[in-house]
Amino acid sequence: MKKPVVDYQTFRLRKINEPQFAHLKLLLGWVGYFILYFLTENLIPAENCTPVHMWLDDLIPFCEWFLIPYVFWYALIVFSLGYFLLYNVDSFKRLQTYIIITQILAMICYIAYPTRQDLRPAEFVNDNFLTHCVSFLYTFDTNTGVCPSLHVAYSLGIASVWTKEKTAHRAWRAFVVFAVVMICLSTMFIKQHSAVDFFAAIPVCLIAEGFVYRDRYFRKKK
């Protein structure tokens, strides 16, 4: 079994500014995000949000099976951050910074130009466990604050960091890419997002990518 690069058993809150633990402060980005998420979800009414839609949305059918990769997204975030926290602090810092940047940019969009999607089916054709779960998901994951899609943005960030992780097995990296593709598709197939939200997430990711990996992309030639 691989040995963690940092001994977190010795961590105490008073040590948070010490070099071996300072990267943990990046996790505070989640606190800021959840505060802003709560405020935007509760203070911006749906009637003040602009509906997003494009022709591609009409070609994509609802499919409850895509709930599986949609929900797997949560596990992938936790596993990726946890793995890098233990075994590659540099990759942890890059991924968490990537997430924070996409969070900030998305929240600016949600506040400056509130959006919603009206694509959810009025009723489900199939009556099964997955449609029941999708119905439950709709109750707390609202159809507002959708453009750009953070589901897509985080996923592309995770794929970016993992594909650069040379110590990871090639099969695992391939699986992550496959999972990310399925997650991105799932946002549209379970009607949580418009295709507009997917495309809007791409420039957000490019900004984050350029910032996080500027040392690689803009390395000066000697």
Side-chain angles (χ1 to χ4, degrees):
M1 177 178 281
K2 295 176 64 174
K3 183 179 180 180
V5 294
V6 176
D7 183 7
Y8 293 104
Q9 292 181 343
T10 64
F11 173 73
R12 301 294 183 272
L13 192 58
R14 66 178 182 276
K15 297 182 178 181
I16 192 66
N17 290 317
E18 294 182 5
Q20 69 267 36
F21 299 123
H23 58 280
L24 293 174
K25 291 187 287 185
L26 287 170
L27 292 173
L28 291 175
W30 288 101
V31 177
Y33 166 72
F34 285 121
I35 292 173
L36 288 174
Y37 174 82
F38 177 81
L39 292 175
T40 55
E41 286 289 298
N42 290 277
L43 299 182
I44 302 177
E47 55 268 23
N48 290 352
C49 298
T50 302
V52 290
H53 179 269
M54 68 178 295
W55 60 270
L56 192 57
D57 297 323
D58 300 325
L59 301 179
I60 301 174
F62 172 84
C63 179
E64 66 268 25
W65 287 98
F66 276 92
L67 177 67
I68 297 173
Y70 187 87
V71 173
F72 179 69
W73 175 78
Y74 297 97
L76 187 60
I77 291 174
V78 173
F79 175 80
S80 297
L81 287 174
Y83 179 90
F84 293 134
L85 195 64
L86 292 174
Y87 303 117
N88 191 329
V89 172
D90 180 66
S91 291
F92 167 81
K93 291 191 288 187
R94 290 180 190 270
L95 178 55
Q96 184 57 33
T97 301
Y98 196 115
I99 288 173
I100 289 173
I101 292 171
T102 57
Q103 287 172 341
I104 292 172
L105 294 176
M107 283 299 167
I108 290 173
C109 293
Y110 298 163
I111 295 171
Y113 189 70
T115 52
R116 75 172 193 267
Q117 55 87 2
D118 299 321
L119 302 171
R120 294 177 173 181
E123 58 182 26
F124 299 113
V125 175
N126 301 319
D127 183 15
N128 54 43
F129 175 74
L130 288 176
T131 54
H132 293 170
C133 289
V134 172
S135 180
F136 176 69
L137 176 68
Y138 286 172
T139 63
F140 65 87
D141 196 350
T142 71
N143 65 331
T144 61
V146 293
C147 187
S149 168
L150 281 177
H151 234 78
V152 171
Y154 292 0
S155 299
L156 294 179
I158 289 170
S160 175
V161 178
W162 271 115
T163 53
K164 298 177 181 69
E165 183 66 22
K166 300 306 181 184
T167 61
H169 195 281
R170 183 178 300 177
W172 169 253
R173 284 182 279 160
F175 170 76
V176 170
V177 171
F178 170 75
V180 164
V181 170
M182 295 302 293
I183 290 168
C184 292
L185 290 174
S186 74
T187 64
M188 295 172 277
F189 275 92
I190 66 168
K191 301 303 177 180
Q192 278 294 88
H193 284 281
S194 163
V196 175
D197 308 333
F198 166 78
F199 290 116
I202 295 176
V204 171
C205 291
L206 290 176
I207 293 172
E209 179 80 13
F211 183 87
V212 171
Y213 285 105
R214 62 190 182 279
D215 57 328
R216 295 193 181 193
Y217 296 133
F218 305 108
R219 185 179 296 151
K220 292 183 179 180
K221 294 182 179 180
K222 294 183 179 181

